[in-house]
Amino acid sequence: MRRREQYKHLLNLTANCMMLAAEALMFAYTWYIIYHPMMDKANRPWNKGNWAVIGIYVLIMYFFTRTFGGYKIGYLRITDICLSQVLAIFCANAVGYLQVCLVANDYMPIHPMVVLYGAELLVILPGVYLVRFIYTRLYPPRKMIVIYGKRSPDDLIRKINSRKDKYNVCATASVYMGYKELYKRILEYEAVVLCDLPTSMRNPILKFCFDQSKRTYITPKISDIILTGTERIHLFDSPLMLSRNRGLTIEQRFVKRLMDIVLSLAAIVISSPILILIGAGIKLYDKGPVFYTQERLTRDGEIFRIIKFRSMRMDSERDGAQLARKDDDRITPIGRIIRQTHFDELPQIFNILKGEMSFVGPRPEREVIAKEYEAEIPEFSFRLKVKAGLTGYAQIYGKYNTTPYDKLKLDLTYIETYSAWLDIKLMLMTFKIIFQKENTEGIDKKQRTAIRKS
């Protein structure tokens, strides 16, 4: 198993290169046989020009497939990989069609690109299933041991066990049994999970695993995530790590705000038919208000009124503020549809244009609920170093009912690793989660907030 491990990435790389080559060949056929003869002779590219058109298409395809995670065949679930491929091929062909029209300097028939899209799906999706089948046979789930501290590891084990295709938790051990016994147990397994251990006890185990070349998974602490955003300083012969702890720089905030203005104006124009249609549906259903406004928190704890399409009954909060629950009977039939597709969030485009929110950032919480979270997790206010967002790291990689502590970790990861490219990637990934129902899953019926009572 260990000898085969070194070839794992080679298998993944080879499969991805073959799929990209197949997509390039199919586009080349569409270009040479269909589109190229349709063009006026004056506009036809020749020789290297044709290669440039195909090369640009390959780059576009690579960009979207990588962004949506379509190349992570051994990492994501098979359904996630297929969804990523479907979205990537669609986006690449949409941009590819615009490229063809620009080269031709005219509107070209779209049906060849539609046929190309179908052909690519017929080739790529079975290819993904085949590679995934080979991958799981060559690399079965790793046998793992979970080492925990004072807190129960059951919640983490439940999450890990949701990926039986990749992980196999065989044992657990308390860190308090002593290092000598722990080290013996660790050597019996292929991987180790360090679950919420005190730093002083975690470090010796981590060094032992490093020495033994044992794959180690760690649940990070808040301080660990802050360290990911540090700047390395090499002015002396002793390495230093600088954490500025101020959120985004003035240059980053300028670029982010410019992107928000341009994209929000474009989004208002493009989505206006959908906004009108949803608004009419809500009004016709119960004659109540179309929009729902509510006070939320944004950067530095400032309060603003968020705008959303009303998805619940008008008396939904007669018993006080609470998050949506699983199978919540307060949600209207129209509300259920727009919540599953996240269309209830569309009016927040106007909050973004006004500068109260950003396209990407932490989910804006209600002040009363945020104070409850802060009572249990004082660091929860760290999320407010940037503006609240329509989408974000926690919204993409978490769920609606993700615990506040995990949500804080995800949001801090975004803040500490921020870049304009990360914003673009998260905005594109938002289209993917529209098709993933688990991301909209509410809290349990007995809960009022996302804090889970033991």
Side-chain angles (χ1 to χ4, degrees), residues 147-216:
I147 300 175
Y148 62 93
K150 292 181 179 179
R151 295 186 181 181
S152 169
D154 291 346
D155 188 50
L156 179 63
I157 292 173
R158 177 181 56 80
K159 293 176 182 178
I160 294 174
N161 283 339
S162 68
R163 290 297 306 275
K164 292 282 191 182
D165 60 315
K166 192 168 177 63
Y167 306 112
N168 179 18
V169 176
C170 300
T172 61
S174 170
V175 72
Y176 298 103
M177 70 166 49
Y179 293 125
K180 187 175 180 181
E181 184 61 29
L182 273 176
Y183 292 162
K184 276 203 259 182
R185 299 280 299 274
I186 287 171
L187 292 174
E188 297 173 8
Y189 298 93
E190 297 172 288
V192 181
V193 181
L194 304 182
C195 177
D196 201 25
L197 300 182
T199 305
S200 60
M201 304 184 81
R202 181 187 68 182
N203 288 350
I205 302 172
L206 185 59
K207 290 175 184 177
F208 175 78
C209 292
F210 185 86
D211 180 62
Q212 297 296 317
S213 301
K214 287 286 182 183
R215 181 170 290 224
T216 308

Side-chain angles (χ1 to χ4, degrees), residues 30-139:
T30 305
W31 170 255
Y32 276 112
I33 304 301
I34 301 175
Y35 282 124
H36 195 264
M38 289 183 182
M39 297 181 187
D40 294 334
K41 289 187 177 181
N43 292 330
R44 287 181 187 174
W46 297 100
N47 300 326
K48 293 181 180 179
N50 290 318
W51 286 101
V53 172
I54 297 167
I56 291 171
Y57 176 82
V58 170
L59 291 175
I60 293 168
M61 181 65 75
Y62 174 79
F63 167 77
F64 281 113
T65 308
R66 185 176 176 84
T67 299
F68 285 119
Y71 290 136
K72 296 181 177 180
I73 297 177
Y75 180 74
L76 298 177
R77 290 185 178 92
I78 186 66
T79 52
D80 284 346
I81 301 166
C82 289
L83 176 57
S84 298
Q85 289 286 350
V86 168
L87 291 174
I89 295 171
F90 175 81
C91 292
N93 284 343
V95 177
Y97 172 71
L98 294 176
Q99 177 194 3
V100 169
C101 293
L102 286 172
V103 173
N105 198 27
D106 194 5
Y107 288 106
M108 302 297 284
I110 197 172
H111 66 269
M113 294 301 291
V114 175
V115 173
L116 173 64
Y117 177 63
E120 286 175 328
L121 291 181
L122 286 174
V123 171
I124 299 302
L125 295 186
V128 167
Y129 272 96
L130 176 61
V131 174
R132 180 71 175 192
F133 176 81
I134 296 171
Y135 192 95
T136 54
R137 293 301 178 274
L138 289 176
Y139 305 104

Side-chain angles (χ1 to χ4, degrees), residues 244-261:
R244 299 187 186 277
N245 301 325
R246 65 185 184 191
L248 308 187
T249 65
I250 187 68
E251 297 89 348
Q252 290 172 331
R253 287 166 62 177
F254 175 79
V255 172
K256 191 174 178 65
R257 180 62 186 142
L258 185 63
M259 287 173 60
D260 285 339
I261 292 172

